Amino acid sequence: MVTLNPQFVVDDKQAKTGVLLSVADWDHIVEALEELDDLRAYDEAKASPSEVVPFEQAVKELDSARVR
């Protein structure tokens, strides 16, 4: 678990209107969100039935998609 040290921006009525984070804290949050996206994509892929594609065919398809 990452320990964050946020600083809050407040308006003249002391209502929170924003948050300041260190770059290190921000980097930790982005990394955690990327990992979460990967886990969700994995779970979605495992839940969906799909055909098996040979590795060589997958590489060819990816290469042809890059050319476009």
Side-chain angles (χ1 to χ4, degrees), residues 14-66:
Q14 299 302 309
K16 294 177 184 175
T17 60
V19 179
L20 298 174
L21 296 171
S22 70
V23 172
D25 285 351
W26 175 250
D27 289 341
H28 286 294
I29 290 170
V30 170
E31 183 178 324
L33 289 172
E34 288 171 347
E35 289 178 16
L36 183 58
D37 281 344
D38 292 344
L39 290 171
R40 286 182 177 156
Y42 174 81
D43 289 343
E44 184 178 317
K46 291 296 281 184
S48 301
S50 62
E51 65 180 82
V52 176
V53 177
F55 178 75
E56 293 80 12
Q57 179 183 342
V59 170
K60 286 179 186 177
E61 290 177 11
L62 289 171
D63 285 343
S64 67
R66 283 189 204 135

